[in-house]
Amino acid sequence: MAAELEFERPIHELEKKIAELRSFMDEKDIDLTDEIKRLEEKLANLEKSTYSEMKPWDRVQIARHAERPTTLDYIRYLFTDFIELHGDRLFGDDEAIVGGVAFYKELPVTVIGHQRGKDTKENLRRNFGMPHPEGYRKALRLMKQAEKFNRPIICFIDTKGAYPGKAAEERGQSEAIARNLVEMAGLTVPVICVVIGEGGSGGALALGVGNYVHMLENSTYSVISPEGAAAILWKDASLAKKAAESMRITAPDLKEMGIIDEIIEEVKGGAHKDAKHQAELIDHILEKSLNNLLSMSEEELINQRYEKYKKIGQFGFVNDSIVVK
Amino acid sequence: MIKGLFVKKKKYATIPTGKVKQDVPEGIMSKCPECKHIMVTKELRKNLLVCQGCQYHYPMSSQERIASLIDEGTFTEYDAEMISGNPLEFPDYVEKLEGDRKKTKINEAVVTGAGQMNGLDVTLAVMDSRFRMGSMGSVVGEKITRAIEHAIDNETPFIIFTASGGARMQEGVLSLMQMAKTSVALKRLSDRGLLFISVMTHPTTGGVSASFASVGDYNFAEPKALIGFAGRRIIEQTIRQELPEDFQTAEFLLKHGQLDRVIHRSDMKKTLSTLLKMHTEGRR
């Protein structure tokens, strides 16, 4: 049973009440059909209002849900013949990032993504999906390989951030991320990025310079975690909920700021309720994006990426009250 | 009074912590914050703000930096009038920007432009840590990107002096995206075969360290500059270990193969212009 999320509690309570009435009706042989029908209507309305008016903090909870589908889950549903490839050829293999080759509807592609664990044991092995430099360098190696063999690249983004550790610094965490940003800018093949969970800062962006960047409806993308922002702004990490609201980190926010291309609808209540169906919803947009990009030349792909990032930002000029976007 | 019984008595005294390091020395005499050596401020400035005692490199304002590198009268500034909006409507952000503008006499945390270094053309960007800790928001990203585009159009080398606490939190994910924006521009610069030199000064951390600062054809740093991705405190909390004293200094990075050289400020202009010369004469 999935862990209960705070904002879903009223729904669960109502569901429980309906179930109780049903068993009561069977036991005592009393007709409560009308009562149950009334409550079921109420439940439908409640679900509708809860899931259509999700607050940023509710989305953060869903994005971090322990059972939220991961990169490997989506790979299983979206691609065939996936062959995982390991190692950066320089230091080691970082299991916080997975990558390999596969078919997407008969088209050979390279797939790369951050990989969280599903339980404590796997999380330790995968460092909770927080990569070291060797993870980013493996990703880059696979991207260059894809470029050589003219395969499109699909990146799944799902990390709290690059790992803040001593060894990571010694091996050049900054350089590894920075190198990916620059090299992804110049890839001659289509690059599609999908934020499937948390998009945590530079560690997320290092797989995120694409021709298209899409976000699942309940995923987040931010410069700093809500807890980190709260700690810095108000010296109190417990104000994360407030920070989540003011930082504008949800998919609708990013769409509005012109940073992402499409919001991918999620199944009711979040992707974890039905990973297979969620994969179908991703599939739909992935196919459309790929079709758009496959007709573009190498130069067009690079220029499209240039223009896409060049226009992000808001600024103005002294003596000029209009803020250019 | 009964009420008095419930008031907790202070069990601590406030000890004044060490004085905040002076950004730029003022007054007739200046004391080095590192070795306490006392110098005549005029002399210190002549010495490019480097302590004669311990070689401590004082932070430099963007104006002072440009004066120390660019031949007199050759600098043309780009986009000096560009200013930040307040995209997240962050409380107090506009006031803080206004305060920094007054304090620093510049409009944002980077100054860009073109000039000559010992007679050689160069496009230059100099970050200024006095302005919002040199943090990168939309304006910093845009000014650097435009400077790179100028370098491409004019076929000049591009040199950046970084000094930044990282991405600017008040502009949220827009700040993060400036890392990508500057990177796509640097890729174009590189593809045109043009030179890019990054000189990291104190401090260069977070999103700036993890983007343009680390991908120069040459990566240099000033002595003792703090350079790193994550903050020291966060790393200590994460790994529960004490870190070596020189952790994330320029010398530490040099030792771990992350830098080409550490360059003393007094050798900076000469080293850079020699490199520029090598790249100019080599180009046909």
Side-chain angles (χ1 to χ4, degrees), chain A residues 9-254:
Chain A
R9 199 164 293 151
I11 294 174
H12 291 149
E13 271 166 14
L14 201 54
E15 282 171 345
K16 223 165 95 188
K17 206 166 167 186
I18 293 169
E20 272 170 17
L21 278 184
R22 278 232 167 80
S23 64
F24 191 73
M25 190 166 86
D26 293 344
E27 263 172 50
K28 309 276 169 162
D29 204 21
I30 309 167
D31 185 17
L32 293 170
T33 327
D34 284 354
E35 181 69 7
I36 290 172
K37 205 175 153 201
R38 200 178 59 78
L39 284 178
E40 276 174 343
E41 271 166 27
K42 200 175 155 191
L43 177 67
N45 282 333
L46 185 65
E47 281 189 332
K48 206 172 150 195
S49 66
T50 306
Y51 294 129
S52 65
E53 290 163 31
M54 256 190 310
K55 303 274 187 302
W57 187 244
D58 303 338
R59 295 194 198 273
V60 170
Q61 299 306 305
I62 292 184
R64 291 175 176 174
H65 200 290
E67 286 165 32
R68 188 164 176 86
T70 64
T71 295
L72 284 174
D73 292 319
Y74 290 127
I75 287 178
R76 193 153 51 93
Y77 290 121
L78 290 168
F79 306 96
T80 51
D81 295 326
F82 175 64
I83 301 171
E84 190 179 347
L85 304 168
H86 295 274
D88 68 345
R89 301 292 187 274
L90 299 162
F91 180 81
D93 184 43
D94 185 350
E95 294 189 76
I97 288 182
V98 295
V101 286
F103 283 113
Y104 177 71
K105 305 176 200 230
E106 279 139 48
L107 179 74
V109 293
T110 287
V111 195
I112 301 166
H114 300 98
Q115 183 63 43
R116 288 181 292 116
K118 288 270 172 111
D119 51 44
T120 310
K121 204 176 146 201
E122 194 193 353
N123 257 324
L124 287 175
R125 188 156 64 83
R126 299 199 181 278
N127 201 29
F128 296 83
M130 300 172 82
H132 281 74
E134 49 273 24
Y136 296 115
R137 290 175 181 141
K138 167 168 74 177
L140 182 58
R141 182 177 76 80
L142 298 180
M143 289 184 216
K144 294 306 253 183
Q145 183 190 63
E147 184 176 51
K148 175 175 174 183
F149 297 107
N150 202 22
R151 288 193 292 261
I153 299 165
I154 294 136
C155 291
F156 292 109
I157 293 169
D158 185 16
T159 184
K160 289 185 186 305
Y163 188 64
K166 180 169 174 267
E169 297 284 330
E170 287 170 347
R171 296 201 286 274
Q173 188 73 290
S174 285
E175 194 272 347
I177 294 170
R179 184 66 56 199
N180 279 19
L181 304 181
V182 171
E183 292 301 326
M184 286 185 88
L187 290 168
T188 54
V189 292
V191 182
I192 298 168
C193 308
V194 184
V195 186
I196 58 171
E198 282 183 276
S201 199
L205 189 63
L207 299 184
V209 182
N211 295 97
Y212 287 119
V213 180
H214 304 312
M215 274 177 87
L216 294 200
E217 193 185 337
N218 295 315
S219 60
T220 59
Y221 207 159
S222 62
V223 70
I224 184 170
S225 71
E227 287 79 5
I232 293 174
L233 290 171
W234 304 297
K235 317 270 176 245
D236 185 354
S238 67
L239 293 172
K241 192 173 170 178
K242 188 177 156 192
E245 266 147 37
S246 52
M247 295 293 285
R248 303 195 69 193
I249 60 175
T250 66
D253 288 324
L254 270 87

